[in-house]
């Protein structure tokens, strides 16, 4: 019997090694982790999308053996679901990464039809789907930071400020987080400084038309706004052009925007979507991302903040305003001032 074992062992070993070798060679070609990034719009000019792409790319570079394809879905929102569906159905991706508050619903519907693919949705919220992980930022805090700063600027003796107590918000389009969180958060921040301050809220109607954005922003300035928060993707350049021409200030949102127009962009709140995309993508590649989870990240996580360090901020804003913004951030970081992010869809 012993002899039999020794006789069969080489055969077993051979079979095991062959299987192992075949398995290995299969993994060698199939071991690439394949990521498709679906951009609902275009990358260029949209801070959240630029951060998504750079974070995913960084994670892939670091992990190795990972392919990344970027697919721009364009501005026709009616085609996005079809776009994500064809990516998912192609079988070419293990993970699809995307960003914006309308994408959780779209990815959930695609996930029902295509069972193999997993999704990472940034700047969106959906809890409990076993193949979808979402990461939302506390935009209540972010908008409050921007509004508070707008209040400090509009009530200051800065060169382009006036006494009207009126500031602007230009949005690409209306959607629940814009109307129910960003606008009220911005207004609350403003009125924490200027009790009777008013927000002139305008909607561009798309995320690209800088010419139309310039006309709208120019009209806002005529109506008394001396500071305009611009959240309009490629349209933001029109807001900057109007402010440059008509002597007003611009507040940037989502990433640090001072370099866009130093001295005109005087304040910038931001979210660390680049870091969130990097960390979550790396975890997905390594197999440790908790699908089904919906994260909400805020100031106390270091994921939402206001850039008080950039030279164009410190150089163009009175020292008193710089320190008031730093104090506000300290109060929010320590938990002395909390602003809860309402969960989309309610809970
Ligand atoms: N923000 C952009 O910067 N560029 C876009 O093309 C863009 N498209 C959006 C489309 C939809 C349907 C929604 C709901 C939001 C979009 N946003 C876009 C806004 C973005 O997701 C985010 O809410 C804002 O940047 C504020 O953080």
């Amino acid at each position: 019997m012993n002899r039999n074992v020794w006789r069969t062992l080489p055969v077993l070993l051979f079979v095991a090694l062959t299987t192992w070798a075949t398995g290995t060679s299969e993994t060698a070609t199939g071991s690439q982790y394949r990521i498709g990034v679906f951009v609902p719009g275009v990358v260029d000019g949209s801070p959240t999308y630029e951060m998504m792409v750079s974070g995913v790319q960084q994670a892939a570079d670091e992990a190795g053996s990972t392919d990344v394809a970027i697919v721009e879905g364009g501005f026709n929102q009616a085609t996005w679901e079809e776009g994500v569906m064809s990516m998912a159905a192609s079988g070419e991706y293990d993970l699809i990464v995307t960003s914006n508050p309308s994408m959780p619903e779209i990815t959930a519907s695609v996930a029902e039809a295509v069972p193999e693919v997993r999704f990472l949705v940034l700047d969106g919220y959906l809890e409990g789907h076993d193949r979808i992980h979402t990461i939302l930022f506390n935009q209540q805090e972010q908008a409050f930071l921007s509004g508070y700063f707008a209040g400090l600027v509009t009530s200051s003796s800065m060169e382009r400020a006036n006494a009207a107590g009126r500031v602007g918000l230009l949005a690409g389009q209306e959607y629940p987080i814009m109307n129910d969180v960003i606008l009220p958060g911005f207004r609350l921040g403003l009125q924490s400084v200027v009790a009777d301050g008013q927000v002139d809220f305008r909607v561009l109607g798309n995320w690209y038309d800088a010419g139309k954005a310039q006309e709208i922003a120019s009209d806002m300035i005529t109506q008394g706004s001396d500071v305009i928060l611009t959240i309009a993707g490629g349209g933001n350049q029109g807001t900057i052009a109007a402010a440059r021409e008509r002597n007003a200030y611009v507040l940037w949102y989502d990433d640090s925007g001072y370099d866009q127009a130093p001295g005109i962009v005087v304040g910038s709140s931001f979210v660390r979507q680049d870091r969130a995309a990097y960390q979550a993508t790396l975890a997905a590649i390594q197999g440790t991302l908790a699908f089904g989870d919906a994260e909400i990240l805020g100031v106390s996580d270091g994921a939402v903040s206001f850039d008080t360090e950039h030279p164009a901020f410190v150089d163009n804003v009175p020292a008193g305003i710089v320190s008031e913004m730093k104090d506000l951030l300290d109060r929010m970081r320590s938990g002395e001032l909390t602003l809860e992010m309402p969960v989309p869809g309610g809970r």
Side-chain angles (χ1 to χ4, degrees):
M1 193 181 167
N2 269 349
R3 268 194 17 219
N4 276 349
V5 169
W6 288 114
R7 222 176 264 156
T8 46
L9 195 61
V11 179
L12 286 174
L13 260 178
F14 175 78
V15 172
L17 279 171
T18 326
T19 316
W20 178 73
T22 323
T24 317
S25 75
E26 258 170 25
T27 4
T29 45
S31 76
Q32 290 294 109
Y33 190 79
R34 302 155 311 161
I35 302 176
V37 179
F38 181 82
V39 180
V42 302
V43 180
D44 201 29
S46 292
T48 50
Y49 301 161
E50 291 172 356
M51 287 190 280
M52 163 172 67
V53 169
S54 77
V56 170
Q57 200 64 62
Q58 193 195 341
D61 291 348
E62 197 174 306
S65 304
T66 304
D67 296 325
V68 177
I70 313 291
V71 177
E72 289 191 320
F75 292 111
N76 183 352
Q77 299 178 7
T79 66
W80 290 349
E81 182 162 338
E82 203 183 300
V84 179
M85 184 70 85
S86 68
M87 284 175 78
S90 73
E92 285 170 27
Y93 306 105
D94 300 300
L95 178 74
I96 294 176
V97 185
T98 188
S99 165
N100 95 30
S102 75
M103 297 312 290
E105 209 181 315
I106 289 177
T107 52
S109 146
V110 171
E112 291 316 308
V114 185
E116 294 84 17
V117 188
R118 291 165 185 240
F119 301 88
L120 167 61
V121 182
L122 306 163
D123 186 22
Y125 186 91
L126 180 76
E127 205 182 6
H129 191 295
D130 64 355
R131 279 179 290 119
I132 303 179
H133 184 103
T134 64
I135 302 178
L136 185 70
F137 297 96
N138 187 328
Q139 304 247 5
Q140 181 83 24
E141 293 181 328
Q142 188 190 1
F144 182 86
L145 282 162
S146 294
Y148 194 92
F149 179 71
L152 294 173
V153 170
T154 195
S155 60
S156 75
S157 54
M158 285 170 68
E159 216 171 90
R160 298 173 175 210
N162 63 41
R166 197 172 164 83
V167 306
L169 168 52
L170 178 61
Q173 75 183 80
E174 294 188 88
Y175 50 100
I177 290 204
M178 177 57 67
N179 294 50
D180 304 340
V181 180
I182 299 178
L183 173 58
F186 185 60
R187 188 182 289 125
L188 185 67
L190 168 72
Q191 293 179 347
S192 302
V193 179
V194 182
D196 58 352
Q198 295 297 313
V199 178
D200 184 1
F201 177 60
R202 307 281 187 104
V203 179
L204 176 59
N206 62 62
W207 296 92
Y208 55 83
D209 191 345
K212 190 173 168 204
Q214 182 171 355
E215 277 172 34
I216 297 171
S218 184
D219 186 57
M220 291 160 99
I221 297 164
T222 304
Q223 304 294 319
S225 289
D226 46 9
V227 192
I228 299 172
L229 172 61
T230 188
I231 309 177
N236 293 336
Q237 294 306 322
T239 310
I240 289 176
R244 180 177 278 124
E245 197 179 286
R246 307 283 317 277
N247 281 323
Y249 297 115
V250 172
L251 303 191
W252 201 255
Y253 206 74
D254 291 330
D255 67 357
S256 179
Y258 301 101
D259 292 334
Q260 300 281 339
I264 292 168
V265 174
V266 286
S268 191
S269 61
F270 64 88
V271 293
R272 291 303 308 270
Q273 171 140 314
D274 48 351
R275 193 172 60 198
Y278 161 74
Q279 288 174 342
T281 302
L282 196 58
I285 298 169
Q286 294 168 344
T288 58
L289 188 67
F291 288 93
D293 280 9
E295 299 179 62
I296 300 180
L297 304 174
V299 170
S300 63
D301 306 294
V304 174
S305 196
F306 190 96
D307 186 0
T308 56
E309 304 304 318
H310 196 286
F313 178 68
V314 184
D315 293 349
N316 290 297
V317 166
I321 294 186
V322 173
S323 66
E324 285 204 61
M325 286 310 291
K326 288 185 175 175
D327 287 351
L328 174 65
L329 280 167
D330 284 344
R331 278 188 284 144
M332 290 172 76
R333 283 191 197 109
S334 71
E336 184 189 324
L337 175 62
T338 55
L339 292 155
E340 195 145 330
M341 173 76 189
V343 172
R347 195 173 49 173

